[in-house]
Amino acid sequence: MRNRNIVIGAVAAVVVVIGWWLIFDPFGEDETVETTTTSGVSTTTVGETTTTAGETTTTAGETTTTTEASAMPDLGGRTITVGVENAYLPFNYILAGETEGQGWDYDAWRDICERLNCVPEFVEAAWPAVIDQVAQGEFDTAADGISITDDRKEIVAFSDPYMVVEQKFIKQLGDDRYATADDVINSDAIVATQVGTTNFELATELVGEDRIQAFDQFGLAIQALISGDVDVVIIDDAAGLGYIGENAEAIETIEDPLQSDPLGFIYPLDSDLVEPVNVAIQTMKDDGTMDELGLKWFGPDFTVTYEDLDG
């Protein structure tokens, strides 16, 4: 789910939002997860996070306190550096001619810090280098629609999932060679995707590297599909809806889901932010904030396209 400095895609203005209250429930490793697809964005039903008033936790030299009055961790006004790509609708972006970032990530982290008594400092970072930068402690966290994977867990810590997306194929509009995902997999179709993504990893498993054409940006992969240089693109549904919304006369989704990916914030392995932020995520779900963010950034009223960004 990646793209940067692209003027092709858009987040579709016609997302049917069903059951947004399910989207952001985090789940533990031993809990059952239910996934429901809602017109391009999958939601998950998951477990609960509890906090204990009066608890103090110290990790890597930092102290986090849960007060009796609020039952919320207090980060003491700390500044939290948040890596964002600023070119990934609707999670984070900067409109052409403007300097301030916007998007789901910005709103979510501002709300998180309001609850935890911290100050978010958003820092632009490239994909996928931002993962290594967080691992090395250059940023406190990153928010960029990052899929939770076992390989990534070896170098970074993850928050509880705040969203689940599905990977799907996109094809040229009306291409009757590929009615289903199996039609693509069992053919000699050339599959385009972006390097350094779970989409690339899944494509390798499904069709092998010989049939993959990888691009630095998803927008280039979509261009290659439209021009006929590749047969399909594999992409997360949330990002794919944007490109289809901008190129509805040229491309369409093959609706068969290929894989569900939970998304989470990342941190250095020794970070003391994981548990406090998980508490904040849970309370945002409990009080309806996550519902509101979902409707605002993934609903039909969001009409920003990549053409609205600097190229």
Side-chain angles (χ1 to χ4, degrees), residues 67-109:
T67 63
E68 293 288 348
S70 65
M72 286 291 294
D74 187 339
L75 298 181
R78 285 167 55 184
T79 296
I80 308 299
T81 53
V82 184
V84 289
E85 191 177 7
N86 279 337
Y88 192 36
L89 297 170
F91 290 98
N92 50 71
Y93 62 93
I94 298 177
L95 292 172
E98 298 187 6
T99 59
E100 295 298 318
Q102 303 180 54
W104 189 94
D105 291 335
Y106 282 86
D107 278 5
W109 265 99

Side-chain angles (χ1 to χ4, degrees), residues 280-301:
I281 289 172
Q282 182 65 52
T283 60
M284 291 166 73
K285 296 191 286 84
D286 291 343
D287 66 16
T289 300
M290 286 297 189
D291 301 356
E292 296 171 4
L293 292 180
L295 288 170
K296 176 179 179 180
W297 295 110
F298 290 91
D301 291 337

Side-chain angles (χ1 to χ4, degrees), residues 241-259:
L241 279 173
Y243 289 111
I244 291 173
E246 187 66 17
N247 301 280
E249 76 291 345
I251 58 177
E252 62 182 331
T253 300
I254 299 174
E255 289 301 329
D256 301 345
L258 303 170
Q259 174 177 292

